[in-house]
Amino acid sequence: MNFETISVSVDRRGVAALTLRRHAQHNALSGLMIRELTAVAGLLGGDRAVRVVVLTGEGESFCAGGDLNWMKEQIAASREARIAEARRLALMLKALRDLHKPLIARVNGQAYGGGVGLISVCDAAIAVEGARFGLTETRLGLIPATISPYVAARIGPAAFLRFATSARLFDAPTARDIGLIGGVVAPEALDEAIEAEIKPYFATSPEAVAATKALAHALASPIDDTVIEMTLTRLADTWETPEATEGIAAFLEKRKANWVPADTAK
């Protein structure tokens, strides 16, 4: 499997290592990475030799959210083009969530925005001490719309409301407390902890695991086309507000947005 922004390798046991490989950009999601992750979800899902998939990031970050150049492209795009690009992200997340294999997040560092979305579609997640997390879209005058069905389902509506509205950053123990991740370990213990997550699956029926994942999703609130289209419409509406224009401009210009009090500490 040859990709530009990700790598995939499968060991003799059927454990697939799916690695985000844009370390210079902190593994931020680009349009190409989104397309490649969608494609690889289909490939891994159809490969009967694959028993478990481990998702991680190259370097010191897991995934820092949306790529800066991708963000700039959205600024210049039409409403229809923004919706189309957001739909690609939504369908990528859904493809990973609906993967018939166990999907484990090896959270090797920071995860913001779309990175939190990626963790939320995994069945289990272990993070290193010192990892930082955040749903930071409201700092830009935007909303975490595309990832919201998955994140809210993972951490619950109360935690989603608190962290998505305030855009506050939080640490790994807090991420564990709200259910985003299942454990926190020292960096040198991460691989051992991931192996402990993988091992039980070798005693399980692959078909029964797939059926149980489908059952769990059926018991939860549906994340279907109606929900996805609703989030895309709300995102498109927010992009067209004056505050989004100001927030994104402030981000690109490395200054505070005009709603931030002048005496607020950085």
Side-chain angles (χ1 to χ4, degrees):
M1 303 178 189
N2 296 317
F3 300 99
E4 290 185 35
T5 67
I6 62 177
S7 67
V8 185
S9 62
V10 182
D11 70 15
R12 59 179 178 78
R13 302 173 301 166
V15 177
L18 172 54
T19 305
L20 309 181
R21 297 194 62 189
R22 302 186 74 232
H23 67 275
Q25 295 80 29
H26 298 281
N27 300 317
L29 292 164
S30 65
L32 178 58
M33 180 181 279
I34 290 168
R35 293 192 295 274
E36 291 189 338
L37 284 170
T38 304
V40 82
L43 292 171
L44 294 174
D47 189 343
R48 295 183 63 85
V50 173
R51 296 288 302 271
V52 181
V53 181
V54 176
L55 174 64
T56 193
E58 183 179 70
E60 297 181 354
S61 298
F62 178 74
C63 175
D67 176 73
L68 179 59
N69 289 328
W70 186 58
M71 180 77 72
K72 290 178 179 177
E73 290 172 2
Q74 304 317 301
I75 295 170
S78 65
R79 177 185 176 92
E80 292 73 20
R82 288 172 183 160
I83 289 177
E85 193 66 14
R87 184 177 289 109
R88 291 187 188 97
L89 173 59
L91 294 179
M92 178 271 284
L93 292 169
K94 192 172 190 302
L96 288 173
R97 173 184 179 264
D98 293 344
L99 192 68
H100 293 165
K101 325 284 184 174
L103 180 60
I104 300 170
R106 178 184 178 276
V107 185
N108 55 305
Q110 64 179 336
Y112 303 131
V116 174
L118 284 174
I119 296 171
S120 297
V121 301
C122 293
D123 306 306
I126 303 294
V128 294
E129 297 169 346
R132 301 282 283 175
F133 305 83
L135 300 166
T136 56
E137 288 82 355
T138 55
R139 295 185 184 184
L140 303 178
L142 296 172
I143 59 175
T146 313
I147 64 173
S148 62
Y150 308 100
V151 180
R154 182 59 163 259
I155 68 176
F160 178 76
L161 187 63
R162 181 186 183 210
F163 291 104
T165 56
S166 67
R168 72 183 70 200
L169 302 184
F170 53 100
D171 59 17
T174 301
R176 179 187 57 206
D177 290 346
I178 63 177
L180 179 62
I181 60 175
V184 183
V185 298
E188 61 272 16
L190 181 58
D191 288 336
E192 181 180 353
I194 294 299
E195 184 62 29
E197 288 290 327
I198 293 170
K199 189 174 180 180
Y201 287 109
F202 296 120
T204 64
S205 155
E207 294 298 327
V209 168
T212 302
K213 286 189 64 170
L215 171 63
H217 295 160
L219 292 171
S221 297
I223 301 176
D224 54 18
D225 290 345
T226 300
V227 171
I228 290 173
E229 292 304 316
M230 178 273 291
T231 64
L232 301 184
T233 299
R234 290 179 183 243
L235 178 60
D237 290 345
T238 306
W239 265 99
E240 295 169 3
T241 63
E243 285 199 346
T245 300
E246 164 61 13
I248 294 166
F251 172 72
L252 295 176
E253 295 165 12
K254 296 182 173 21
R255 61 173 174 82
K256 293 181 181 178
N258 61 17
W259 57 74
V260 179
D263 59 351
T264 299
K266 292 184 178 180

